[in-house]
Amino acid sequence: MSFFDAGLYISLFFCLAGLAWRVARWFRHKPAARLRPQSRVQPALIKKFTAALIKDVVLLARTARRSPYRWAAHSLIFAGFMYLLLFHAMSGLVASSLVDNYWPTLDPWQFLRNLAGLMVLTGIVMAVLRRLSNPRLRRLSGLQDWLLLILLAGIMLSGFILEASKMVSPAVFDRMAQEYLGSDDPGEVKALKAHWAKEYGVAFDHPLPGDAKTLQWGADISADSCAECHSPAKTAFVSFAMAKGMGSAAHALNRMDAEQIFFYLHVALCFLGLACLPLAKLIHPLTTPLNLLIRRLGKTGQAAGPFASPALQGLAMDACTRCAECSLHCSVAPAHAVLGNADILPSEKLASLIKYRAGVLAGRHLDAFTQGSRICTECGRCTDICPAGIDLQSLWQGSKKELGDPSRQILSLNLAQRVEKLHSPQPLDPEMGQGLALRTGTFTACLQCTTCTSVCPVAALSPAPARDLDCSPQQIMNLLRMGMVNQAMASGMTWRCTTCYKCSEACPQNIPVADVLSELRNMALNGLNLPKREMRG
């Protein structure tokens, strides 16, 4: 068995086994509701499927809407890689069946192969610059993000170097001459070598004649014997430039059979990518298009909802590309900057949610995930901005329900019911705070200048603050100053505060507004006799 065949079978085995494991994981939980099966495929559904395929999958419309730069990078990678996959890696199945007399060394295929590889490399460079130029995104970029870009760049570069090493290799020329020239005349062979050294960049070990007559003779022989399956090497503009740039190193590369080394390297990297496809971020080229289509089709009214089944929720979570657009635009990102809990950010919280669903999240990691889930204001911005079409808001709502969020229970009551339920503050547990909310000197200096309210992200995002929040932060300070602790505890602002500390940082009187709101929550939860894990949320 050849190296290629053995590598292909091994990588396919790991790829298929990994995909089976990932799909099985989607069905691990019992579904709360199932999609209703369709009795027949309706024309409207076909039309919607086609529109979603073109708009969301091929044209990447969701990405273009929010980040034109990322859309350009992703489009270059997607278009270039898909061409190389279909018309290079799978040319025997796809290109040969679509094109008569397909030959990879003929134009336009030779030119297009180089163009596609250059597109992918350009997209990779843009993606790297995007992650490095944004400090927040640079901090969020994990090992798998960089490994994917490195692996993809390695596949492209090794392919170009392989083609360049073939261009300069006399051994490759000799094999082709023996197979296609049909002549053993030393003069003809020398003339052909002279032509290929000049026009194709072959680095022969011995000097060759360069007179016009010999070169023309070699050109005529090449036209008769080689032109049928070889376009001028210059059209492979990237590889040809590399071959020319090798210079004197080409002879050393030829002596060590470099084209064989680069062949094994290129093929090994391709097989590594195939074997690792089901792992982490690498699976998103399969899951993201599926998720986009299912979400769009789920809005047709023919199903119970695009995420009614845990299996589809599992697909959605695996569709994440870790682009971090959701985290860059998250409304409670300031809370992460203060608290340092990465699970406050959607892209990081999603990774913890996957572990939570698998039952492997425990200890401080579970505490961090619980805090990150409860801080979320469910503004829906992450869902709206996600290029992969993941309904993140539904996932957060589901995780909050599973974690037993007491804030949601309390906010489900109206203000009067909350005041009645939270009728009196209990003695404060030492772990719950410093007693700031009951200490008169904490808030008597409040000027009611509204600075805290003007910088509050919760107040800014609320479409109806009077309805959703009941009171603004400075109004809660006023309630406490008047001794109306029950009303302050029951206020929607107290329970929707993300503890981002912007109010405390901006207050001209240095009042610890965020700490006061946090203690009000803890006092109320302490009075409800909830478990400590729920109180600390």
Side-chain angles (χ1 to χ4, degrees):
M1 183 180 292
S2 67
F3 167 79
F4 185 90
D5 291 339
L8 178 61
Y9 293 145
I10 293 172
S11 58
L12 273 177
F13 170 78
F14 281 105
C15 178
L16 295 176
L19 288 175
W21 171 75
R22 292 297 285 259
V23 173
R25 194 175 66 172
W26 301 345
F27 293 89
R28 184 171 298 174
H29 299 277
K30 183 180 179 181
R34 293 185 181 275
L35 296 177
R36 292 196 294 269
Q38 309 243 353
S39 58
R40 61 189 179 88
V41 179
Q42 300 181 5
L45 198 61
I46 297 176
K47 182 178 180 181
K48 194 152 193 171
F49 175 87
T50 305
L53 182 65
I54 296 173
K55 183 178 179 181
D56 293 339
V57 177
V58 177
L59 299 180
L60 305 173
R62 289 183 63 87
T63 303
R65 184 179 59 179
R66 291 290 183 179
S67 177
Y69 180 89
R70 182 174 177 269
W71 172 84
H74 202 133
S75 296
L76 287 170
I77 295 174
F78 175 77
F81 188 83
M82 289 305 298
Y83 175 85
L84 291 172
L85 177 66
L86 298 176
F87 283 84
H88 181 55
M90 301 176 61
S91 59
L93 296 175
V94 179
S96 298
S97 61
L98 296 176
V99 181
D100 292 334
N101 299 320
Y102 171 82
W103 199 254
T105 50
L106 282 177
D107 286 331
W109 318 116
Q110 180 174 262
F111 168 79
L112 290 175
R113 184 172 64 252
N114 274 245
L115 178 62
L118 183 61
M119 288 169 60
V120 174
L121 285 176
T122 303
I124 291 172
V125 171
M126 292 177 67
V128 170
L129 292 177
R130 172 179 174 266
R131 290 187 176 275
L132 293 178
S133 62
N134 188 317
R136 288 178 60 193
L137 184 57
R138 186 169 61 249
R139 289 192 295 270
L140 291 173
S141 298
L143 180 62
Q144 60 173 302
D145 302 310
W146 296 116
L147 286 180
L148 176 59
L149 293 172
I150 292 171
L151 177 59
L152 197 55
I155 292 173
M156 296 300 116
L157 288 173
S158 62
F160 278 129
I161 296 174
L162 171 60
E163 189 172 38
S165 66
K166 286 183 176 180
M167 287 182 179
V168 300
S169 172
V172 173
F173 172 85
D174 290 339
R175 287 198 298 269
M176 290 190 301
Q178 290 175 6
E179 186 172 356
Y180 299 108
L181 182 57
S183 173
D184 294 329
D185 182 2
E188 290 187 5
V189 174
K190 182 178 289 189
L192 186 61
K193 283 184 176 182
H195 173 72
W196 274 65
K198 182 176 184 297
E199 298 296 330
Y200 291 85
V202 183
F204 293 101
D205 294 330
H206 52 276
L208 294 165
D211 59 281
K213 183 179 179 181
T214 302
L215 291 175
Q216 183 58 49
W217 186 17
D220 293 339
I221 297 172
S222 180
D224 292 337
S225 304
C226 308
E228 186 177 354
C229 57
H230 278 282
S231 293
K234 293 179 181 179
T235 60
F237 56 99
V238 178
S239 301
F240 186 72
M242 286 185 172
K244 287 293 187 182
M246 290 178 180
S248 58
H251 298 288
L253 292 172
N254 291 334
R255 285 192 292 272
M256 58 187 293
D257 292 329
E259 74 275 3
Q260 290 297 318
I261 296 174
F262 291 128
F263 169 77
Y264 289 125
L265 175 62
H266 180 63
V267 172
L269 288 174
C270 291
F271 288 158
L272 178 63
L274 179 61
C276 295
L277 182 64
L279 301 179
K281 179 177 177 175
L282 290 176
I283 199 175
H284 85 261
L286 298 178
T287 52
T288 301
L290 280 175
N291 184 69
L292 287 167
L293 293 172
I294 289 173
R295 186 181 180 193
R296 181 65 67 92
L297 295 177
K299 298 178 181 179
T300 61
Q302 301 294 325
F307 294 96
S309 164
L312 295 182
Q313 290 185 8
L315 167 64
M317 288 187 284
D318 280 344
C320 177
T321 67
R322 289 193 55 82
C323 66
E325 285 291 331
C326 54
S327 295
L328 293 177
H329 296 84
C330 177
S331 60
V332 294
H336 164 256
V338 174
L339 301 176
N341 181 0
D343 282 352
I344 292 173
L345 302 175
S347 61
E348 310 310 300
K349 182 162 54 182
L350 187 61
S352 294
L353 177 59
I354 294 173
K355 295 178 182 177
Y356 174 75
R357 290 287 179 89
V360 297
L361 201 65
R364 60 185 180 87
H365 300 292
L366 180 57
D367 289 337
F369 174 62
T370 301
Q371 182 187 53
S373 296
R374 292 174 179 173
I375 282 181
C376 172
T377 62
E378 299 180 21
C379 66
R381 184 182 293 182
C382 54
T383 296
D384 180 61
I385 208 169
C386 178
I390 305 172
D391 191 350
L392 293 165
Q393 187 171 3
S394 294
L395 294 176
W396 308 151
Q397 290 171 344
S399 65
K400 283 184 178 183
K401 186 176 181 180
E402 292 179 31
L403 292 166
D405 185 2
S407 299
R408 292 177 63 85
Q409 301 171 20
I410 292 171
L411 287 171
S412 66
L413 306 174
N414 60 41
L415 181 59
Q417 292 171 325
R418 273 181 255 148
V419 172
E420 182 180 357
K421 191 175 183 68
L422 309 174
H423 52 84
S424 62
Q426 301 294 317
L428 196 64
D429 187 317
E431 295 185 14
M432 297 293 106
Q434 305 172 17
L436 295 173
L438 300 179
R439 194 182 305 158
T440 306
T442 303
F443 37 78
T444 51
C446 178
L447 302 173
Q448 295 292 299
C449 64
T450 73
T451 298
C452 55
T453 301
S454 65
V455 299
C456 177
V458 176
L461 288 168
S462 175
R467 180 197 66 200
D468 299 334
L469 307 179
D470 302 314
C471 299
S472 59
Q474 94 273 1
Q475 289 173 330
I476 291 178
M477 297 302 104
N478 201 34
L479 288 174
L480 293 174
R481 188 158 51 187
M482 293 186 293
M484 302 174 69
V485 180
N486 296 350
Q487 287 79 358
M489 282 195 303
S491 170
M493 182 68 238
T494 299
W495 296 96
R496 295 187 185 278
C497 172
T498 65
T499 324
C500 70
Y501 282 87
K502 280 193 169 184
C503 51
S504 300
E505 293 172 356
C507 179
Q509 298 295 97
N510 295 318
I511 297 173
V513 181
D515 289 330
V516 170
L517 295 178
S518 178
E519 285 195 7
L520 287 172
R521 287 197 301 274
N522 289 330
M523 288 163 55
L525 294 174
N526 195 32
L528 292 174
N529 297 317
L530 294 169
K532 276 194 173 184
R533 180 182 295 282
E534 296 202 355
M535 288 195 292
R536 291 176 183 174

